[in-house]
Amino acid sequence: MDIQQASIITAMVTPFDHENNIDLKNLEKLIDHLIATGTQGIVVGGTTGESPTLSHDEKLTLYQHTVEFVAGRVPIIAGTGSNNTAETISFTQEVAQIKGIDAALVVTPYYNKPNQAGLYAHFEAVAKSTDLPIIIYNVPGRTSVSIEPATTIRLSAIETIIGVKECVGIEAMSEIISHTDADFLVYTGEDALSLPAKAIGANGVISVASQVFGEEMKEMYDAFEAGKLTEAAKLSRELIPKMDALFSVPSPAPTKFLLNHQGINVGGVRLPLVECTTEEEKVILSTCIK
């Protein structure tokens, strides 16, 4: 399967052991779990993978091991972005040397708040520095800056920029889909918009929830593709409260809690994130486990 065919791409958590080191053995178990429950592509080293607290060398080890274990079963997208253009270029070029990485996920630069001209120039510089396909990641809730649809549309003309993970909403996705080539990938980064995004022509979702609700999400998309719109809508409505619960405290703590609860051992989170309290766990379980 290539990225063009993937509707459910999972933004994978990074498993840690009891000493908060990357747990490669449980990474393998997690990958097998994801693929068995409907994941059609994996983002490694994204926000959900706690990339801000992974070192440069940890990321390379994580990416290499993920590629080797996946062994071509699904596409692999590696997080390479930062708010430093030169550093993003250097790391993207380094990651491009790992055989089996299908694309880089490059986040809009955070904290230094570039304008649209700066955002365009940043992505253009990264894209023109490598042959590795680039997916733009627009998540203003985390970066405090948003790449406007018009800027994404301009960037789509650059050959190596193949898509966007868009977290702004239906209006932005609709504009991008309407004004880019048919092979430009558009994914929602908001789990609750998985079905609405698909309905307006997006490729699908880059999802956190698919780690614990992958089978239900696949069932929803299968129903939609089969024209069973009422069934798909019902499944979406049932999923949305569960998806929301995964962000009831800072992500990915709730997702890691539920994976651990299900016997998929991924450990805790690294500071400055903290694990769910007992009370938070009770609320998450009551919402997610029926």
Side-chain angles (χ1 to χ4, degrees):
M1 176 180 289
D2 61 27
I3 299 175
Q4 291 281 351
Q5 299 170 300
S7 292
I8 300 174
I9 297 176
T10 298
M12 183 173 66
V13 302
T14 301
F16 297 133
D17 62 20
H18 293 300
E19 296 178 346
N20 249 1
N21 297 313
I22 294 176
D23 187 336
L24 295 178
K25 184 175 181 180
N26 278 318
L27 173 71
E28 294 178 0
K29 294 178 181 178
L30 173 61
I31 289 168
D32 278 342
H33 160 76
L34 295 180
I35 294 174
T37 55
T39 289
Q40 299 165 324
I42 291 173
V43 171
V44 59
T47 310
T48 310
E50 296 178 73
S51 58
T53 60
L54 297 177
S55 71
H56 170 274
D57 289 349
E58 283 181 321
K59 288 178 184 177
L60 292 179
T61 298
L62 177 66
Y63 297 178
Q64 184 69 53
H65 199 84
T66 297
V67 163
E68 290 173 359
F69 188 74
V70 169
R73 287 178 286 172
V74 296
I76 303 297
I77 303 165
T80 65
S82 73
N83 63 343
N84 179 326
T85 304
E87 187 175 299
T88 300
I89 288 170
S90 175
F91 190 55
T92 302
Q93 290 173 336
E94 198 169 1
V95 169
Q97 301 306 307
I98 301 174
K99 285 190 175 181
I101 298 290
D102 295 280
L105 185 69
V106 179
V107 70
T108 50
Y110 41 86
Y111 190 71
N112 37 20
K113 290 190 173 182
N115 60 16
Q116 295 303 303
L119 288 169
Y120 182 89
H122 171 80
F123 283 105
E124 179 186 42
V126 175
K128 291 189 173 180
S129 75
T130 180
D131 292 328
L132 187 65
I134 302 295
I135 297 175
I136 298 165
Y137 179 19
N138 187 35
V139 57
R142 289 184 178 272
T143 65
S144 80
V145 63
S146 183
I147 184 165
E148 294 175 1
T151 305
T152 299
I153 292 161
R154 283 183 64 208
L155 285 166
S156 73
I158 298 173
E159 186 176 359
T160 47
I161 296 181
I162 64 165
V164 62
K165 176 184 178 184
E166 179 59 73
C167 297
V168 169
I170 288 293
E171 295 88 348
M173 282 187 286
S174 179
E175 186 174 347
I176 292 165
I177 293 165
S178 295
H179 295 94
T180 54
D181 292 341
D183 61 353
F184 187 73
L185 303 171
V186 179
Y187 289 94
T188 180
E190 299 292 336
D191 276 302
L193 294 181
S194 297
L195 184 59
K198 194 78 165 173
I200 65 164
N203 293 78
V205 59
I206 296 180
S207 171
V208 176
S210 54
Q211 295 179 93
V212 286
F213 307 123
E215 291 173 338
E216 296 97 316
M217 293 178 70
K218 183 178 184 301
E219 184 182 359
M220 176 184 68
Y221 271 172
D222 286 349
F224 176 80
E225 296 291 354
K228 300 176 182 177
L229 304 186
T230 301
E231 180 182 339
K234 180 176 182 291
L235 289 166
S236 178
R237 292 194 303 272
E238 291 171 352
L239 277 166
I240 286 172
K242 298 177 182 180
M243 292 167 165
D244 288 346
L246 297 181
F247 297 91
S248 57
V249 299
S251 179
T255 301
K256 282 193 156 183
F257 162 66
L258 280 177
L259 284 167
N260 289 326
H261 181 78
Q262 294 174 351
I264 311 296
N265 296 318
V266 293
V269 292
R270 284 181 173 176
L271 289 171
L273 300 180
V274 294
E275 295 179 37
C276 303
T277 66
T278 301
E279 285 304 310
E280 289 165 345
E281 289 176 353
K282 288 178 182 176
V283 173
I284 292 165
L285 282 177
S286 67
T287 304
C288 295
I289 308 297
K290 300 297 184 181

